[in-house]
Amino acid sequence: MLNMHSFRTLIIMAAAALALVSCGGGDSDSGAGPSEEVRALLRTVPSDALAVAVRRSCAEAVSLLDSSTALRSLGYGGLEDSPAVISWTFDGKLSPVLAVDAGRTQARAEAAGAAAELAGSLGLHAEWYAADSLVGRHAMLVLTGSEALMTAVRRHISEGRSIMDADGFGTAVSYAGQSKDFTVLRNSGARRLLPPEFLEGLYTQRSAAAFLGRISDWITICPESDGRYRLDATLGDTPSYYTNMFGALPFADSRLGEILPSDCSFAVSLPVPQPEFREAYRRYVDASVRYTAYARRLDELEKQSGVNPLDWELENGICEAGIIAGSFGRVVALRHGEAPEGTGAQENPYRGFAGALYGSAFSLPDDSMCAEAGDWWIYGSAEAVNGFTEALAQPSGIKWPLRGNHIVMYKSGRLLCWNKKGIYLWNSDL
């Protein structure tokens, strides 16, 4: 069973992959989508909810909550095996709402009544909705610790409005197909969902949240066999969405795994096949009304270094950009078409090139030094570059996906990969 810690890790991994280098889903072929019972539960979710988790049982749904939450302490009796939906809405803080299918039997109705009665003693607000044979709806019990949210739920249900009316949410749900367990995240709410120090301080919450709003509307996360999860992004067709940029790119090999040290805690690989990547990136920044800033930055770097970054990229045949973090700090790695020549750590004459060419995720506060590692150039501070070079003596042994990728990401023992089959997340030791 996925516990609260694993659930948060899953959300952070999904958001991180999108926020840092972006990934996206294809057309949904999931057919009819969730059952009517699940759709009925979703119609209890406020339209401004930031995250929605559908679970096959109430017990699994409440396991996603902190142990100190009153909803976790409530006894559900005969409802523990009932389908449930838990959602989070911001009302001054991130607050959960739980909706449980109470079925049509007397036993479940009695269990729901007992839970509702106990809820008040725990400071919870409860609302019972009887079965409706006219529309084929089961009875439902809705619980929350927020009086304001319960008021919003009552109002939404009485007016026939819910998260199902939000633009794109129906498509996001359709990606789940007939799955009884899935999660949908609203990207515009990323600032509320992500921790203040995003990815343990590697990137700020503000910068990650701002980028998420530009790359897709919703993320759908579905469990598959062997502890794997499939991710799909719901987005419009505007070229200003970063995810749409990758639709025109061929899949390519990722070899970053070859240079990961054993104490690697975080890594991202972005294959950048040329000339397709550069052309697609230009279209993206142009559609985002940021082409002037992009061109100005390249001009500034050319004046500082005496080298045009676009010419430098082409001449060196750069085909993959990477981020690696560990006890040594954080470095950026760029793979060249041919093994670069060098003699250990040296001053970096091309400061700022990686961030300007591949996005702000590849910018470093200090990239004053560089060193070679096989077919790679490593950039960062003197301390980070030297520490990374020493750490290479102990390789990570991570089973890194090699062929046909758009992006590969590693964090906390989990791998995320977007390849020809889609976007998947799994434990790195599988």
Side-chain angles (χ1 to χ4, degrees), residues 32-379:
S35 67
E36 185 52 44
E37 287 78 13
V38 169
R39 290 182 179 275
L41 292 173
L42 288 171
R43 293 187 187 105
T44 70
V45 177
S47 57
D48 57 348
L50 304 183
V52 182
V54 174
R55 293 296 182 267
R56 68 184 63 230
S57 73
C58 178
E60 291 189 35
V62 297
S63 73
L64 302 178
L65 298 170
D66 289 322
S67 58
S68 60
T69 305
L71 283 172
R72 183 82 177 263
S73 304
L74 185 64
Y76 295 92
L79 295 178
E80 286 192 346
D81 294 330
S82 296
V85 168
I86 190 163
S87 61
W88 289 264
T89 301
F90 189 79
D91 63 342
K93 62 179 180 179
L94 205 58
S95 300
V97 176
L98 175 67
V100 186
D101 184 337
R104 294 172 178 164
T105 66
Q106 183 63 29
R108 292 206 172 189
E110 291 175 357
E117 184 175 347
L118 180 59
S121 66
L122 295 175
L124 295 170
H125 303 273
E127 191 71 33
W128 165 262
Y129 292 93
D132 188 337
S133 59
L134 292 178
V135 297
R137 186 185 73 192
H138 289 189
M140 295 183 297
L141 177 64
V142 182
L143 299 155
T144 179
S146 167
E147 183 177 4
L149 274 182
M150 181 55 76
T151 299
V153 169
R154 294 187 183 112
R155 183 178 67 251
H156 277 72
I157 292 178
S158 67
E159 296 174 355
R161 296 187 297 113
S162 72
I163 192 74
M164 293 297 288
D165 300 309
D167 288 344
F169 185 80
T171 300
V173 168
S174 72
Y175 280 121
Q178 296 292 317
S179 177
K180 295 181 179 180
D181 298 283
F182 63 92
T183 301
V184 180
L185 309 179
R186 188 196 294 261
N187 280 352
S188 62
R191 190 166 65 89
R192 307 296 188 188
L193 293 171
L194 298 178
E197 286 301 317
F198 185 60
L199 288 177
E200 301 173 0
L202 291 173
Y203 297 93
T204 66
Q205 178 199 54
R206 181 182 296 275
S207 62
F211 193 69
L212 271 169
R214 296 200 302 268
I215 52 93
S216 74
D217 300 318
W218 307 91
I219 309 169
T220 305
I221 309 171
C222 294
E224 297 209 339
S225 60
D226 301 324
R228 289 175 177 258
Y229 294 84
R230 190 185 78 249
L231 278 65
D232 292 283
T234 300
L235 61 159
D237 58 4
T238 173
S240 62
Y241 277 109
Y242 193 85
T243 37
N244 283 331
M245 181 188 79
F246 282 81
L249 296 182
F251 292 92
D253 291 350
S254 168
R255 290 171 46 194
L256 189 70
E258 298 173 356
I259 59 166
L260 297 183
S262 60
D263 73 338
C264 173
S265 59
F266 175 75
V268 174
S269 162
L270 177 67
V272 289
Q274 303 293 353
E276 294 91 347
F277 177 85
R278 187 52 48 203
E279 293 171 355
Y281 194 79
R282 285 195 188 101
R283 289 194 296 269
Y284 161 67
V285 294
D286 189 28
S288 304
V289 197
R290 293 187 293 120
Y291 184 81
T292 300
Y294 165 71
R296 184 185 300 120
R297 179 58 176 158
L298 294 177
D299 288 342
E300 291 173 353
L301 292 174
E302 182 175 6
K303 291 177 181 178
Q304 294 172 11
S305 65
V307 177
N308 183 299
L310 297 176
D311 293 340
W312 177 85
E313 175 187 56
L314 182 62
E315 291 170 2
N316 287 283
I318 295 175
C319 50
E320 185 176 357
I323 305 164
I324 307 171
S327 61
F328 47 83
R330 176 162 48 112
V331 298
V332 165
L334 299 181
R335 179 161 63 92
H336 293 229
E338 297 180 0
E341 297 179 0
T343 55
Q346 55 193 294
E347 185 176 348
N348 176 20
Y350 310 113
R351 300 181 189 183
F353 276 31
L357 290 170
Y358 308 110
S360 59
F362 296 88
S363 295
L364 294 170
D366 181 355
D367 64 347
S368 58
M369 300 297 291
C370 68
E372 74 284 355
D375 292 341
W376 298 80
W377 276 349
I378 310 300
Y379 301 93

Side-chain angles (χ1 to χ4, degrees), residues 385-407:
V385 169
N386 288 327
F388 172 82
T389 302
E390 294 174 4
L392 283 176
Q394 297 292 329
S396 70
I398 296 171
K399 299 177 182 178
W400 193 264
L402 176 62
R403 305 294 181 188
N405 301 306
H406 273 331
I407 171 180

